[in-house]
Amino acid sequence: MSNNKSTIDFGFSEVPLDEKVKRVKGVFDSVAGNYDIMNDVMSMGVHRIWKRQTIDLSGVRPGHKVLDLAGGTGDLTKAFAKRVGKTGQVVLADINESMVRVGRDRLINEGISGNVDYSITNAEALAFPDNTFDLCTIAFGLRNVTNKDKALEELYRVLKPGGQLMILEFSKVTNPAFAKLYDFYSFNILPKMGKVIADDEASYQYLAESIRMHPDQETLKQMMLNAGFDKAEYINMTQGIVALHRGWKY
C-alpha cells in the first residue's frame, strides 16, 4: 500500500480507495463460474490439501458456529457443515453476490442444507453481532480486501471469547530458488492459462500480482496482534507459497 492515503494497490497498480472494491468485484464476477478451475490453476491443484490441513486444525465440533468469509464455492463450508452437525451453523459470506450464488447453488446441489446460511457482507463491516462465532475462516480472500486492518478488527469482534480465526492465504516463498520458479509460473504461465481456460488473462494477471502485494508472514502475524488478537501464529505450507495464520480471542 502506498503512503498516499487516497490510493491503494490493485495488483501492481495504484487506484483510488473507493475504486478497489469495484475492481475486485469485477475480477470475481468474471471468474465466478470458473472459480474451482482458477484455484486449481493458481495452486497447481494443491489447494485441496491446504484446505484439508486447515479443516483438520480447526477444532470444529458439533454445535459450533462458523463464519466462512470469502467462502468462494463453499469448499470449507461443506466440510464445516458436516462437522458442526444439525445443532451447529455455518455462514458462507462474501462481498460478491456472484460468488455467493455459485457457492449456494453448488452446496444445495450436493445436498448441503439446513445448517448453512448465506450472507453478502463486506469484511470491513461484518453484518453480525459481537461474540457470534466459535471459528472464523478466510481462505484466499484477505489479499483482496481494501482495509485489511479493519477486516481483522471485525473478525476479532464477531468471534466469541475462546474463538479462533484462521487465514489461509498465498504468502512469501521461503526458498529463493523456488521463489524464482514460482514467479516465472505466476507471471508467464498463469495469465496465459487464464486466457485459455476462461478467456480472461487480465483477471489472472491481477490475482498473481495481488499475491505479491499481500503482507508477508511476519507482517500479517503482527497485524493480527495489532487488531486485538491475544495470540497469533502461522504455519508455512509448500515452502511458503501459502501460509495458515491462526489467531485466538481469549
Side-chain angles (χ1 to χ4, degrees), residues 74-117:
D75 284 349
L76 293 181
T77 293
K78 178 181 176 180
F80 288 137
K82 293 176 180 178
R83 294 200 175 202
V84 303
K86 294 180 179 179
T87 58
Q89 180 193 34
V90 183
V91 179
L92 189 160
D94 202 294
I95 194 173
N96 189 288
E97 185 178 356
S98 300
M99 294 303 301
V100 173
R101 191 183 306 115
V102 169
R104 181 193 62 205
D105 291 349
R106 176 191 171 195
L107 292 175
I108 290 172
N109 288 341
E110 294 186 15
I112 308 295
S113 63
N115 63 350
V116 177
D117 292 321

Side-chain angles (χ1 to χ4, degrees), residues 9-109:
D9 58 89
F10 177 79
F12 290 162
S13 304
E14 287 281 323
V15 299
L17 280 172
D18 59 357
E19 185 73 17
K20 179 165 180 173
V21 172
K22 297 175 189 174
R23 293 205 184 190
V24 170
K25 180 180 185 299
V27 168
F28 284 92
D29 280 344
S30 177
V31 303
N34 295 296
Y35 188 73
D36 289 326
I37 296 171
M38 181 196 78
N39 279 336
D40 280 326
V41 171
M42 291 186 67
S43 70
M44 293 169 277
V46 187
H47 70 98
R48 291 182 177 83
I49 297 171
W50 298 332
K51 289 173 180 174
R52 172 53 55 190
Q53 288 181 267
T54 302
I55 293 158
D56 289 345
L57 288 169
S58 69
V60 166
R61 302 190 303 274
H64 273 181
K65 292 189 71 173
V66 178
L67 173 63
D68 181 14
L69 185 60
T73 51
D75 284 349
L76 293 181
T77 293
K78 178 181 176 180
F80 288 137
K82 293 176 180 178
R83 294 200 175 202
V84 303
K86 294 180 179 179
T87 58
Q89 180 193 34
V90 183
V91 179
L92 189 160
D94 202 294
I95 194 173
N96 189 288
E97 185 178 356
S98 300
M99 294 303 301
V100 173
R101 191 183 306 115
V102 169
R104 181 193 62 205
D105 291 349
R106 176 191 171 195
L107 292 175
I108 290 172
N109 288 341

Side-chain angles (χ1 to χ4, degrees), residues 52-186:
R52 172 53 55 190
Q53 288 181 267
T54 302
I55 293 158
D56 289 345
L57 288 169
S58 69
V60 166
R61 302 190 303 274
H64 273 181
K65 292 189 71 173
V66 178
L67 173 63
D68 181 14
L69 185 60
T73 51
D75 284 349
L76 293 181
T77 293
K78 178 181 176 180
F80 288 137
K82 293 176 180 178
R83 294 200 175 202
V84 303
K86 294 180 179 179
T87 58
Q89 180 193 34
V90 183
V91 179
L92 189 160
D94 202 294
I95 194 173
N96 189 288
E97 185 178 356
S98 300
M99 294 303 301
V100 173
R101 191 183 306 115
V102 169
R104 181 193 62 205
D105 291 349
R106 176 191 171 195
L107 292 175
I108 290 172
N109 288 341
E110 294 186 15
I112 308 295
S113 63
N115 63 350
V116 177
D117 292 321
Y118 302 90
S119 175
I120 300 167
T121 188
N122 188 333
E124 299 169 30
L126 294 173
F128 310 106
D130 296 356
N131 308 315
T132 297
F133 298 101
D134 298 285
L135 173 73
C136 293
T137 64
I138 179 166
F140 307 115
L142 185 62
R143 73 181 187 281
N144 299 309
V145 174
T146 301
N147 188 334
K148 296 175 180 62
D149 293 313
K150 181 61 178 172
L152 291 170
E153 290 171 4
E154 279 290 277
L155 285 159
Y156 180 85
R157 178 183 67 78
V158 301
L159 273 175
K160 294 177 181 177
Q164 179 187 182
L165 168 64
M166 306 182 84
I167 303 170
L168 184 65
E169 187 57 271
F170 291 103
S171 198
K172 185 174 177 60
V173 175
T174 53
N175 180 299
F178 186 60
K180 289 182 180 179
L181 285 173
Y182 183 54
D183 279 347
F184 181 82
Y185 175 80
S186 298

